[in-house]
């Protein structure tokens, strides 16, 4: 039986009990095995010929000085203080050491793919609740691909998804090591997550019906591989600085470099043709 930590106050006791009861019962979420079944191939057209496909790679840069990330106070949960180890900041503006490149930007093909069929993902996507943070903070996955949700902390978490096109769900995980899965049924950029127990926890997922997406790394780098020849709209999304679009035309086997530049003052919506 799950034992609540001695530090929990009376109101939090009630919240913990209610959230624990949500496991497998809230938001109409369907729990499956950790790997789930095979996802049907998206689209009804021909398969992409990877031998003739091209790549789009690039960098997300920042024009100006990024605002300071908010400090996180974990005093309400001593377990979080112990697990997180040291001062914690939000990941809203995750920049390179020189402050010129921007991580956690979701970059994807927004338009131009036509009617191709794609192989189903072979592995589930994964989000972990560890050190009282969500890992990763921004990521992408496919429609129909199982999302494995893990609690690696010895304290109660819940994951509350707030989509617009998909079904909302809210699942409590009171025990360390608990896993559950959820499957999104419609494409949506982006779906926010929050934890109702620890208000500082947040993350975002882009759900797409194709495999052409990436998240910029610490150096602002991203790469979208195996794109067939064509003209595409590529969109870059940041949680506070808005979105930008660029048109990219690829010939067979061609590789192109693109740069998205966000103004630190944001938010922006820019079309670069």
């Amino acid at each position: 039986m799950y034992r609540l930590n001695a530090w929990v106050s009376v109101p939090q006791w009630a919240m913990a009990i209610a959230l624990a009861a949500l496991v497998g019962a809230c938001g109409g979420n369907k729990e499956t095995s950790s790997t789930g079944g095979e996802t049907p191939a998206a689209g009804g057209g021909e398969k992409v010929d990877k031998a003739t496909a091209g790549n789009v790679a690039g960098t997300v840069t920042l024009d100006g000085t990024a605002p300071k990330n908010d400090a996180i106070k974990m005093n309400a949960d001593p377990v979080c203080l112990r697990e997180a180890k040291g001062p914690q900041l939000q990941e809203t503006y995750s920049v390179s050491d020189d402050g010129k490149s921007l991580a956690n930007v979701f970059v994807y093909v927004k338009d131009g793919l036509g009617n191709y069929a794609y192989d189903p993902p072979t592995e589930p996507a994964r989000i972990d609740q560890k050190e009282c943070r969500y890992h990763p903070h921004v990521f992408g996955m496919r429609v129909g691909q199982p999302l494995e949700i893990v609690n690696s902390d010895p304290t109660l978490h819940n994951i509350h998804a707030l989509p617009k096109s998909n079904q909302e769900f809210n699942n409590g995980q009171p025990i360390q090591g608990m896993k559950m899965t959820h499957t999104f049924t419609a494409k949506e950029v982006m779906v926010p997550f929050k934890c109702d127990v620890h208000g500082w926890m947040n993350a975002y997922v882009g759900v797409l019906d194709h495999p052409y997406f990436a998240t910029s790394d610490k150096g602002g780098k991203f790469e979208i591989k195996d794109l067939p020849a064509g003209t595409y709209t590529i969109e870059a999304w940041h949680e506070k600085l808005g979105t930008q679009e660029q048109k990219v035309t690829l010939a067979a086997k061609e590789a192109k470099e693109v740069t998205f530049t966000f103004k630190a003052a944001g938010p922006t919506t820019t079309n670069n043709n």
Side-chain angles (χ1 to χ4, degrees), residues 35-216:
T35 57
E38 278 204 350
T39 305
E46 64 179 318
K47 292 286 189 71
V48 174
D49 181 4
K50 292 186 179 181
T52 62
N55 296 335
V56 174
T59 306
V60 181
T61 64
L62 189 66
D63 180 6
T65 302
K68 291 183 178 180
N69 287 310
D70 293 337
I72 296 172
K73 296 181 179 179
M74 297 185 176
N75 307 60
D77 190 339
V79 175
C80 292
L81 283 176
R82 183 184 72 237
E83 295 294 315
K85 302 178 183 66
Q88 298 292 307
L89 298 173
Q90 289 289 1
E91 298 176 81
T92 309
Y93 304 99
S94 183
V95 298
S96 56
D97 291 340
D98 62 8
K100 294 180 180 180
S101 300
L102 191 60
N104 285 329
V105 175
F106 187 69
V107 184
Y108 70 104
V109 174
K110 184 177 182 179
D111 187 47
L113 281 168
N115 189 31
Y116 284 97
Y118 308 105
D119 291 332
T122 57
E123 299 289 340
R126 191 174 190 267
I127 187 168
D128 193 0
Q129 297 152 111
K130 183 176 177 61
E131 299 176 357
C132 293
R133 308 289 293 272
Y134 286 127
H135 303 276
H137 180 62
V138 176
F139 66 106
M141 61 179 295
R142 298 268 296 278
V143 173
Q145 180 182 15
L147 173 63
E148 183 180 70
I149 303 164
V150 182
N151 180 10
S152 292
D153 287 331
T155 191
L156 169 70
H157 286 304
N158 82 296
I159 186 163
H160 188 177
L162 298 166
K164 294 181 179 179
S165 300
N166 286 277
Q167 186 175 32
E168 181 178 357
F169 69 89
N170 189 352
N171 293 103
Q173 292 182 312
I175 301 171
Q176 186 177 25
M178 286 189 73
K179 296 180 181 180
M180 59 184 64
T181 61
H182 179 85
T183 302
F184 292 101
T185 58
K187 62 181 181 180
E188 186 169 351
V189 179
M190 303 286 286
V191 177
F193 295 121
K194 68 173 184 175
C195 177
D196 296 318
V197 181
H198 307 108
W200 61 82
M201 291 177 63
N202 63 91
Y204 301 88
V205 60
V207 184
L208 294 171
D209 55 1
H210 62 73
Y212 302 116
F213 54 84
T215 302
S216 62

